[in-house]
Amino acid sequence: HPVYPNPFNPSATISFDIPQVGGVELNVYDVKGALVEKLISKTIKPGSHRYTWEPQLLPSGIYFMKLTTPNQTFTQKVTYIK
């Protein structure tokens, strides 16, 4: 699902569906590709999930949300405006 809202301030909601139990990672990268925040790194049960990201110390800018599941990887560009 697309990150909502985008651009965002103060928070963005990330929604995703997991078809089977498995390890999930949700990370945030800056435009240079550097990891700036790890949001999720755990085994998740099947179903629909939602995570609300509220950056605290990051400046305004463009970031990439990368969701990694056992079967797929999704990346989406998001814009944070303070």
Side-chain angles (χ1 to χ4, degrees):
H1 304 284
V3 174
Y4 180 82
N6 190 11
F8 72 96
N9 177 1
S11 67
T13 300
I14 301 100
S15 300
F16 55 95
D17 300 318
I18 302 295
Q20 60 194 29
V21 173
V24 172
E25 288 191 358
L26 179 61
N27 297 318
V28 182
Y29 297 86
D30 65 15
V31 292
K32 296 178 184 176
L35 177 66
V36 295
E37 205 166 333
K38 279 186 166 246
L39 304 179
I40 299 173
S41 183
K42 63 182 180 179
T43 299
I44 293 183
K45 295 178 181 179
S48 295
H49 300 273
R50 198 174 272 206
Y51 184 89
T52 301
W53 179 43
E54 295 182 35
Q56 300 296 318
L57 304 174
L58 295 176
S60 295
I62 295 172
Y63 295 93
F64 294 89
M65 311 291 292
K66 183 177 179 183
L67 176 68
T68 305
T69 68
N71 301 327
Q72 293 181 311
T73 299
F74 301 93
T75 304
Q76 185 173 351
K77 181 171 79 170
V78 295
T79 303
Y80 175 47
I81 301 172
K82 279 192 171 181

